[in-house]
Amino acid sequence: MFNIRQVSNMSDIKEDRRVVRTRGLLREALMSLILEHGYDAVTVQDITDRANLGRATFYLHYRDKEELLYKSLEETYDGLVKNSESLLNTNYPAGLASFQHAAENKDLYRVMIGSQAAAAITRRIREYMVSVVKRRIASNYGETLDIPVDIVAHHVVGSILALLTWWLENDLPYSAEYMANVCQQLNLNALRAHFQAR
């Protein structure tokens, strides 16, 4: 028997796929243009020309290039959160999810590092990473630290982000696993030195 609801649902699925494809094309166009010319030099017309789409199509999805960049970075942030949560209760180094995620999205991370428009997302990533590290510190060290956990967590995350930036700027010369292990070793050495000095 003919079911109009099924036809409608299939049409919605096709529409959803078109939306995802269009947004993906716009995102890729923006990222490649920023890497080539810098964010400020890129126009909506440049983006639509590169994506081979009309300006009207762009404005169906995004208000302006800032919103396109923000949404792209937000999707990346959501992916990092998911990766971090999956590794939270394991023995993997605290920064492994960040390095793996950066390797999978290296062009987007390079844009994020160099873009003023990305400052809000970068802050959210840092705050989230701090919350993850604080939980790991609490489970590993409990009340044994005489430095506030906030300070230790910000130190650890700061070192992860500094090494992540260097790693991306130098075209990923080492694996994500190696970088995460080195980062953890450096941070653990600092904590051990603190405990020995007490």
Side-chain angles (χ1 to χ4, degrees):
M1 181 176 171
F2 180 75
N3 187 331
I4 195 155
R5 185 179 177 86
Q6 284 179 331
V7 172
S8 172
N9 287 343
M10 285 178 6
S11 157
D12 288 345
I13 289 168
K14 285 181 183 173
E15 183 65 31
D16 287 346
R17 286 181 182 157
R18 276 197 294 267
V19 167
V20 168
R21 181 178 175 279
T22 299
R23 289 181 177 172
L25 288 170
L26 292 169
R27 171 180 159 163
E28 288 169 19
L30 175 65
M31 295 308 135
S32 63
L33 287 164
I34 291 173
L35 290 169
E36 290 169 24
H37 307 292
Y39 177 76
D40 292 334
V42 176
T43 66
V44 170
Q45 188 65 55
D46 294 331
I47 296 166
T48 55
D49 287 347
R50 178 66 60 92
N52 199 25
L53 296 167
R55 285 174 65 91
T57 301
F58 178 94
Y59 289 114
L60 282 173
H61 297 275
Y62 302 104
R63 183 178 60 251
D64 49 32
K65 70 174 186 175
E66 286 82 7
E67 184 179 20
L68 170 57
L69 177 62
Y70 187 84
K71 292 291 185 186
S72 298
L73 295 175
E74 197 167 51
E75 287 169 17
T76 298
Y77 168 79
D78 291 342
L80 175 60
V81 169
K82 186 177 176 182
N83 284 10
S84 296
E85 289 291 353
S86 69
L87 294 176
L88 183 59
N89 296 315
T90 70
N91 291 323
Y92 289 106
L96 180 59
S98 303
F99 283 101
Q100 287 176 335
H101 199 256
E104 291 164 11
N105 301 278
K106 61 183 176 184
D107 287 344
L108 194 56
Y109 270 76
R110 285 179 179 133
V111 168
M112 198 169 4
I113 289 166
S115 171
Q116 291 299 321
I121 293 294
T122 305
R123 185 172 59 252
R124 285 178 60 196
I125 289 173
R126 186 175 61 246
E127 287 169 359
Y128 177 75
M129 289 172 68
V130 164
S131 73
V132 170
V133 170
K134 279 171 70 172
R135 283 182 282 179
R136 291 191 81 159
I137 290 170
S139 67
N140 289 330
Y141 296 98
E143 302 295 318
T144 59
L145 287 173
D146 57 2
I147 300 173
V149 174
D150 274 341
I151 292 175
V152 177
H154 277 88
H155 167 78
V156 169
V157 170
S159 69
I160 292 170
L161 292 176
L163 281 177
L164 193 62
T165 300
W166 172 86
W167 187 57
L168 288 165
E169 288 174 346
N170 287 277
D171 204 24
L172 288 64
Y174 304 100
S175 71
E177 291 75 14
Y178 178 81
M179 291 301 297
N181 281 318
V182 166
C183 198
Q184 176 164 294
Q185 188 177 347
L186 292 170
N187 282 313
L188 284 176
N189 286 345
L191 283 173
R192 286 190 192 108
H194 166 71
F195 282 119
Q196 288 168 0
R198 288 165 65 184

